[in-house]
Amino acid sequence: MPSKSLSAIAVALGCLATIPALAADAPKAAAKPKVNYTDNVSAIFQSRCNSCHNADKQKGGLALETYGATMQGGSSGQVIEPGDPEQSHLWKLVTQAEEPKMPPKSPKIPDAELAIIKAWIEAGAPETSGSVVAMKEKPKFEFKLDPSAMGKPVGPPAMPEGVPTEPVVVSPKANAIVAMAASPWAPLVAIAGHKQVLLYQAKTDRLVGVFPFPEGTIHALKFSRNGSLLLAGGGRGGQSGLAIVFDVKTGKRVFEIGKEYDVVLAADISPDHGQVALGGPSKIVRVYSTADGQLQFEMKKHTEWITAVEFSPDGVLLATGDRNNGLIVWEAQTGREFFDLRGHTAAITDVSWRLDSNVVASAAEDGTIKLWEMENGNQIKSWGAHGGGVSSARFAKDGRIVTTGRDKMARLWDQNGGKQKDFEAFGDLALRAVFADDDAKVVAGDWSGEVRVFDAKEGKKLANLRANPDPIAVRLEKARAEAQTALAAAEHAAKELAPLQAALADKTALVARAQQALTEAQQVAQRKAEAVAASEKSEAEKVKLQAVATEALKLAQAAIEKANAEKAAAEKAVNDSIAAEKAATDAVPVAKAAVEKALNDKVAQDQALASAVEAMKSATTKGAADQAGAALAQAVARSAELTNAIAPAGKRQAEILAVWEGAVAAKAAAPGLLAAATDRARLAAEAVKPAQAALDQANAARNEAGKLLADARAALKVATGQADARKAEADASTTARLAAEKALADRRPPVDALAAKANELKSEVEALAAELKAAEAAKSATASKAP
């Protein structure tokens, strides 16, 4: 239903006893006649529309000549949405906002008549002045989210903007912290106060908004999964209860749902904003649609007061608990039972879903925390968390769990039941705890109304949040005093930084000078190194030239040796040719004589052979023939032997003659060869001198290059030593500067913190002053309008 003023809400719900008295004293205005179909609208339809929309001619299936026909609508459905002109198809047509425009091909109906039609629809489209109408309650905007938008919001998460921080109720003592919630995405914590919700910025611990809840005590607070809405459930015990949904940014009531006859003890809004579930002493879990505020279904299985209600992060399931240890998981869209989780032996005090919707945690007065998986509904973990009973349990995004209990403790656990941290004990029963500021902090509250902020990692207490804040005027004066004190402290601390800053400036200048000197020394060393490299290159070239000259000398000396050897061989060849010629000359007659002897022996034998042949021919007896045959055979054999001896003798003669001719030729050539060898020996000897001179020059050049290299290396060593010295000076100055930086850095955080605190208080003073001024102006304006 639409947002109402505090007084209007109080009158409607009978919450403020003073309102009826004030209303009785107010002058009564004359009641305006109710705009209705019979007295006001039918005449307009008769004049403007009935020519096309009557019983005989129902264009588009729509007749407007009777109330019943009008409300029945046409062939496309109803054309009137009681209470909502913008959703009424007829209104869109007569204002010519949509096609087909009515009246067709004519100007729009006069504004005065349109105003009557609009007023009639807004009043619920009554038939007569005495008609009772029923209109669906609807939010001011589309409430249900697209499933893809149910997680982290696009852009900055919702934070109060310009929301009043003036407490609705100011009390000297805080109430027990029975409800608390933290935005899943913004650094924002909501705390249930008396007839109000207090919103604190979790980073600065500043009060940034107050949402009035005049309907009574708040027992349930839940942020929507995207952090844009805050649901508050509560009421008056034994009288009334409901749930209110606030827009976190504006603080406006965008919806109220559930007209209970007793207080709402537990409530939650579904991740898609489409449903609100609540429960309390009625022992019934009721689920409402936010589209029209109508009850969707009821779950009546619980046997005791409903104490815990929470939708799963994916919106599929709904977990509820009662004070008779009943713990049930339902299908969120149908209300059908999903699991009946049995295991606790005392009242359920809280339920919390893990982010993946696969595990739900339950807390109970039996002192235990139990974890249940949603595949089969089995208990997967159980541990004793608090002696005397657990009062709350909340999952962090990473699976850690924070709990509170009757032992006055708030504790941090891993999801296996391993205790990670005990936070500082409260003075009374610890009732509620939540993760805040992206799970970096834990905010917990107790029965006495004390609210503490802890560092979730270190466990130390960071601040206290007031559950009974002072009025703006009082907070403004306190903030001004604190701001002045903080400013003085910040200025004093800033003065302490001056010597440290001066020391750092000196050390920084020293570092600059040392670095400049180091750079110059390194440049000199670099030039010396380049000179060494050039000298090494030059020496290497000279070594190569020396090696070439040495090799050339070796070749020249080898040539002399070879030429001398060839000359000696030529001289020997001359002597050898003379001796060979003489020996060959002497051998020629001997060879000739041997040939002549062999020929003579052959001639003589031939004669003996001829005689043997004649003897054979003349033999007349066998004995003479045998004797002649034997002599003939002997002569033939001897003749053959002598014939064979002639060829070797001839061959030997030819060989000796060839040797003689060769010896004669060699003797003739030997003097020329000797002369050539002598010339070569002379030339080789002459070639050694320049080779030796080149080697001597190469040796000298290498020696000079070696000296230059040695000088360059010595200069480099000196330059390197100087650079090392400058480096040591630069390192020392850098160390001194780092020490100065550390001294300044160690001192700066508390100084910056004081400055930030002063600026924060200044901003708070300005904001409170502006809010107080605006409130006083509004009060003056209201007073000036009073009769």
Side-chain angles (χ1 to χ4, degrees), residues 294-314:
Q294 299 301 305
L295 179 67
Q296 285 187 327
F297 41 80
E298 296 179 335
M299 291 85 95
K300 300 180 179 181
K301 185 171 181 176
H302 285 288
T303 60
E304 258 292 358
W305 291 11
I306 309 299
T307 54
V309 171
E310 185 166 289
F311 285 98
S312 61
D314 60 9

Side-chain angles (χ1 to χ4, degrees), residues 667-692:
K667 180 180 178 183
L673 294 175
L674 176 59
T678 302
D679 288 340
R680 287 197 297 274
R682 177 179 56 78
L683 292 174
E686 292 175 353
V688 168
K689 293 180 180 179
Q692 183 63 54

